[in-house]
């Protein structure tokens, strides 16, 4: 019987499984298959662990929390959509389960320092 090349520790296994769930969830948000963002607790439940254990493990292995992953990914995907599509700010917010466009605008501005409209304007003017 051959042993695997790499034997993962439990913390590495949790991190790997979280990242797979996270990627799957974000793509389902983007496609409209999911209409609600998962919280750390939801990811932890899917991994059959406590949410504090998930957060502590991710911080130990990656230096980031589950929320950090979601927030940064949403900002990156929103920036891409703002720059490359004609979707309205509200439509982009809905993609990421923001039912109220103002909440998405506040989130985006809090993360980037500018509103989604300002970001789109900057990208359009720099493309000219």
């Amino acid at each position: 019987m051959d042993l695997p090349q790499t034997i993962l520790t439990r913390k590495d296994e949790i991190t790997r499984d979280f990242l797979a769930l996270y990627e799957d969830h974000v793509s389902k948000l983007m496609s409209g298959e999911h209409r609600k963002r998962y919280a750390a607790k939801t990811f932890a439940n899917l991994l059959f662990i406590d949410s504090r254990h998930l957060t502590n493990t991710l911080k130990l292995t990656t230096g980031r929390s589950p929320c950090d992953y979601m927030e940064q990914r949403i900002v990156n995907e929103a920036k891409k959509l703002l720059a490359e599509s004609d979707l309205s700010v509200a439509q982009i917010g809905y993609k990421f389960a923001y039912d109220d466009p103002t909440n998405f605008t506040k989130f985006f501005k809090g993360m980037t320092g500018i509103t989604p409209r300002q970001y789109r304007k900057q990208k359009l003017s720099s493309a000219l």
Side-chain angles (χ1 to χ4, degrees):
M1 177 161 107
D2 292 327
L3 292 174
Q5 293 289 344
T6 305
I7 298 175
L8 296 176
T9 64
R10 180 65 179 136
K11 67 181 190 271
D12 295 328
E13 188 179 330
I14 289 169
T15 302
R16 179 201 62 201
D17 292 348
F18 164 77
L19 292 172
L21 283 172
Y22 152 78
E23 286 296 331
D24 181 60
H25 176 59
V26 170
S27 33
K28 287 180 177 172
L29 271 175
M30 295 289 296
S31 72
E33 194 174 330
H34 284 180
R35 289 297 313 143
K36 192 171 184 186
R37 282 183 315 283
Y38 287 174
K41 184 176 181 167
T42 307
F43 285 113
N45 288 341
L46 291 168
L47 296 169
F48 303 102
I49 60 175
D50 185 74
S51 60
R52 283 177 297 195
H53 183 54
L54 173 62
T55 299
N56 291 339
T57 301
L58 286 175
K59 283 188 175 183
L60 181 67
T61 58
T62 68
R64 298 171 65 193
S65 72
C67 290
D68 292 339
Y69 275 96
M70 285 301 290
E71 290 172 348
Q72 194 57 55
R73 182 67 179 274
I74 289 170
V75 167
N76 291 341
E77 294 295 338
K79 283 180 175 180
K80 193 183 308 179
L81 289 170
L82 288 163
E84 299 171 3
S85 78
D86 291 332
L87 293 173
S88 70
V89 171
Q91 289 171 314
I92 293 170
Y94 293 139
K95 273 197 173 296
F96 300 109
Y98 284 94
D99 294 331
D100 184 350
T102 58
N103 289 337
F104 173 68
T105 298
K106 288 176 192 174
F107 163 76
F108 190 90
K109 186 173 182 177
M111 294 293 290
T112 64
I114 60 175
T115 67
R117 288 193 203 308
Q118 291 169 329
Y119 180 83
R120 179 173 267 165
K121 229 179 234 185
Q122 283 180 358
K123 284 298 175 185
L124 290 175
S125 64
S126 68
L128 297 175

